[in-house]
């Protein structure tokens, strides 16, 4: 998945790549669905200005245990990234643990996972020191933009 303001959320042949059948029939594949239901291995999406839920399909040629690894998450600063296993209900925070191990049958063709990515939370703050060391007239102003609600703890 990649996000950029000029990308579309629906399939676009200049931005996305269709899922391909692997040369080795036992090779695992992972792909996602565009918002218009196209199965792709490269999913280019517009600017991440709202929360998105992306169905992920994993197919294998041999029943067994497999690992999904998330990488290059740097461009998603301020977002929450959760991989939800629809079969087991397990939710993995990919910012904390970049891998998820799962068992899968060789007959699976439906989306097994949902990748939940939140719009980035942007926090702005300003601090104003008190007039003197023992003063009580200092202040801190914090504001957030994005999808709320927010909780401020002082």
């Amino acid at each position: 998945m990649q996000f950029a303001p000029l990308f579309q959320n629906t399939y676009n042949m200049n931005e996305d790549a269709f899922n391909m059948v692997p040369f080795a029939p036992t090779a695992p594949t992972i792909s996602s669905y565009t918002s218009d239901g196209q199965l792709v291995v490269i999913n280019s999406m517009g600017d991440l200005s709202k929360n998105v839920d992306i169905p992920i399909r994993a197919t294998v040629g041999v029943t067994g245990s497999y690992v999904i690894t998330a990488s290059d998450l740097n461009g998603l600063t301020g977002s929450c990234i959760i991989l939800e296993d629809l079969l087991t209900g397990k939710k993995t925070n990919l910012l904390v643990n970049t891998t998820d191990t799962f068992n899968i049958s060789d007959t699976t063709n439906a989306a097994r996972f949902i990748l939940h990515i939140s719009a980035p939370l942007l926090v702005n703050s300003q601090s104003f020191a008190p007039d003197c060391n023992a003063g009580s007239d200092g202040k801190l102003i914090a504001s957030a933009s994005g999808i709320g609600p927010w909780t401020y703890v002082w």
Side-chain angles (χ1 to χ4, degrees), residues 15-154:
E15 301 165 358
D16 303 309
F18 278 119
N19 190 36
M20 298 176 64
V21 177
F23 292 113
T26 59
T29 63
I30 192 160
S31 48
S32 64
Y33 288 92
T34 61
S35 64
D36 58 348
Q38 297 295 319
L39 189 61
V40 293
V41 291
I42 298 175
N43 194 347
S44 302
M45 304 178 79
D47 200 14
L48 187 58
S49 58
K50 62 180 183 174
N51 295 347
V52 294
D53 298 318
I54 305 163
I56 305 291
R57 185 179 91 164
T59 55
V60 299
V62 177
T63 298
S65 181
Y66 292 85
V67 177
I68 291 178
T69 302
S71 61
D72 297 323
L73 301 176
N74 298 335
L76 297 171
T77 303
S79 294
C80 293
I81 306 168
I82 306 295
L83 182 66
E84 178 183 3
D85 188 325
L86 296 174
L87 182 65
T88 66
K90 178 181 173 186
K91 294 181 180 180
T92 302
N93 181 343
L94 294 176
L95 294 175
V96 174
N97 185 2
T98 58
T99 63
D100 183 57
T101 302
F102 62 101
N103 293 312
I104 190 169
S105 167
D106 64 348
T107 60
T108 302
N109 282 315
R112 166 74 184 263
F113 303 94
I114 299 288
L115 184 61
H116 304 281
I117 305 175
S118 70
L121 173 63
L122 304 173
V123 178
N124 297 310
S125 64
Q126 292 178 296
S127 62
F128 300 92
D131 288 336
C132 63
N133 188 23
S136 60
D137 60 341
K139 65 180 173 179
L140 176 65
I141 301 171
S143 61
S145 61
I147 298 172
W150 306 282
T151 301
Y152 297 92
V153 179
W154 301 100

